[in-house]
């Protein structure tokens, strides 16, 4: 009994040393309340940030939102809500700035999202469901497994509400199942090249399609698409060699006949 009493006393003292006070029901309850208040504060700050961003939306943002809504099966309201909730929202401002970012990428694809009321299964896994989500990306941290929507700019001018439709180009390609090469090949061969070959106005080049440099350019693009197609087919037709555990064949080599058998 004395040893047990000493152990209980030491446990209480240890708990007091670690937490600063004995671990009681009141302490746990306070911790839960503080955690709840912290979540409420975070939600309040997130809402304030969203409303601040919503107030910043002007004709330039409306142009981007409209293009995205046209290309993806979402309403403009859904796109706006997604954009102002995105932690990379500042990339849009960097894209509009003079000498700013030359590209602005959006992925629309399945993202694993854990249900808030999901319980762990018997195997320890949680009930994760892939849900399609639109989000801003730099294109270097996430794999593209769905639709890639992109905005490109070719000049260093500041993007304004009046010039956004002239200075910013929009495009999309499909990378379902992560097949980026196939999506890019389709985009170039079925959309970009036909558009270029039917274009009448080539700016300072008055002869347009008759100009030898324009012809060389289109030939290069055609050749690139051909190379892209060839590379894709080579990758799809690759041969996967089976890994063989050679140890079982060489473990007990003792005489020449064993070597012949192993061979």
């Amino acid at each position: 009994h004395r040893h047990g009493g000493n152990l209980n006393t030491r446990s209480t003292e240890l708990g007091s040393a670690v937490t600063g006070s004995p671990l009681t029901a009141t302490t746990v309850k306070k911790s839960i309340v503080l955690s709840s208040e912290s979540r409420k504060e975070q939600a309040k700050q997130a809402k304030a940030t969203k409303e601040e961003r919503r107030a910043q939306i002007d004709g330039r943002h409306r142009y981007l939102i409209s293009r995205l809504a046209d290309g993806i099966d979402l309403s403009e309201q859904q796109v706006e809500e997604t954009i102002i909730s995105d932690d990379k929202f500042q990339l849009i401002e960097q894209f509009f700035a003079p000498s700013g970012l030359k590209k602005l990428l959006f992925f629309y694809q399945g993202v694993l999202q854990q249900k808030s009321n999901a319980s762990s299964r018997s195997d320890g896994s949680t009930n994760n469901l892939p849900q399609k989500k639109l989000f801003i990306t730099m294109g270097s941290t996430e794999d593209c497994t769905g639709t890639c929507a992109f905005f490109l700019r070719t000049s260093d001018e500041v993007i304004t509400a009046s010039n956004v439709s002239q200075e910013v180009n929009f495009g999309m390609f499909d990378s379902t199942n992560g097949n980026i090469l196939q999506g890019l090949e389709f985009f170039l061969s079925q959309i970009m090249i036909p558009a270029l070959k039917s274009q009448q106005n080539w700016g300072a080049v008055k002869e347009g399609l008759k100009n030898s440099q324009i012809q060389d350019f289109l030939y290069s693009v055609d050749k690139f698409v051909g190379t892209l197609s060839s590379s894709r087919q080579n990758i799809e037709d690759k041969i996967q060699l089976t890994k063989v555990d050679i140890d079982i064949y060489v473990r007990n080599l003792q005489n020449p006949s064993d070597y012949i058998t192993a061979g």
Side-chain angles (χ1 to χ4, degrees):
H1 288 290
R2 185 169 64 251
H3 289 304
N6 289 342
L7 182 60
N8 289 337
T9 304
R10 284 170 186 159
S11 297
T12 305
E13 288 171 353
L14 180 60
S16 299
V18 172
T19 62
S21 60
L23 190 62
T24 64
T26 306
T27 307
V28 173
K29 193 171 182 181
K30 281 182 179 178
S31 176
I32 293 171
V33 170
L34 285 172
S35 177
S36 176
E37 288 179 353
S38 176
R39 284 197 300 271
K40 285 180 182 177
E41 183 61 29
Q42 287 176 351
K44 186 178 177 182
Q45 289 177 356
K47 186 177 180 181
T49 300
K50 282 173 62 175
E51 294 312 311
E52 184 181 331
R53 289 173 176 176
R54 199 189 304 276
Q56 296 174 23
I57 288 179
D58 55 27
R60 301 170 302 173
H61 300 83
R62 292 285 169 210
Y63 179 81
L64 304 189
I65 291 169
S66 176
R67 297 288 77 75
L68 288 168
D70 284 343
I72 298 171
D73 189 22
L74 293 172
S75 67
E76 291 193 11
Q77 290 75 17
Q78 288 173 311
V79 174
E80 178 183 321
E81 199 65 26
T82 297
I83 286 175
I84 62 174
S85 304
D86 201 300
D87 59 358
K88 294 186 176 68
F89 178 82
Q90 74 279 0
L91 291 180
I92 300 177
E93 297 305 314
Q94 293 175 26
F95 180 71
F96 290 152
S99 301
L101 295 175
K102 290 291 187 287
K103 66 178 182 181
L104 184 62
L105 300 179
F106 291 81
F107 287 174
Y108 181 58
Q109 60 195 33
V111 176
L112 284 179
Q113 295 182 345
Q114 185 177 326
K115 281 187 173 180
S116 56
N117 60 349
S119 56
S120 294
R121 296 174 182 170
S122 57
D123 61 358
S125 64
T126 52
N127 188 15
N128 287 334
L129 295 175
Q131 295 181 347
K132 275 199 168 184
K133 181 184 176 185
L134 177 69
F135 58 93
I136 305 169
T137 177
M138 288 298 290
S140 55
T141 52
E142 299 92 358
D143 292 333
C144 185
T145 59
T147 300
C148 173
F150 56 86
F151 294 93
L152 304 175
R153 49 178 295 184
T154 55
S155 76
D156 289 330
E157 289 186 32
V158 60
I159 303 300
T160 65
S162 58
N163 73 4
V164 64
S165 59
Q166 287 80 40
E167 295 294 334
V168 175
N169 299 309
F170 172 68
M172 292 173 54
F173 62 85
D174 182 34
S175 298
T176 303
N177 299 323
N179 202 335
I180 296 176
L181 290 184
Q182 186 171 358
L184 188 57
E185 179 190 335
F186 181 88
F187 172 73
L188 290 171
S189 64
Q190 302 300 314
I191 299 170
M192 288 304 298
I193 291 179
L196 288 170
K197 289 182 176 178
S198 64
Q199 182 168 288
Q200 300 300 317
N201 182 11
W202 287 84
V205 182
K206 300 304 177 185
E207 314 100 274
L209 291 171
K210 294 177 182 178
N211 181 275
S212 60
Q213 288 180 307
I214 299 296
Q215 291 174 2
D216 288 343
F217 165 69
L218 293 175
Y219 172 77
S220 298
V221 178
D222 273 325
K223 190 175 179 181
F224 173 73
V225 173
T227 304
L228 199 62
S229 177
S230 176
S231 300
R232 177 183 58 79
Q233 290 172 22
N234 288 338
I235 290 172
E236 290 173 355
D237 295 341
K238 67 183 177 183
I239 298 172
Q240 187 70 44
L241 299 177
T242 304
K243 187 176 181 181
V244 178
D245 183 9
I246 200 171
D247 186 52
I248 62 174
Y249 299 105
V250 298
R251 191 181 299 140
N252 298 311
L253 297 178
Q254 295 177 353
N255 55 59
S257 63
D258 292 336
Y259 282 90
I260 294 170
T261 304

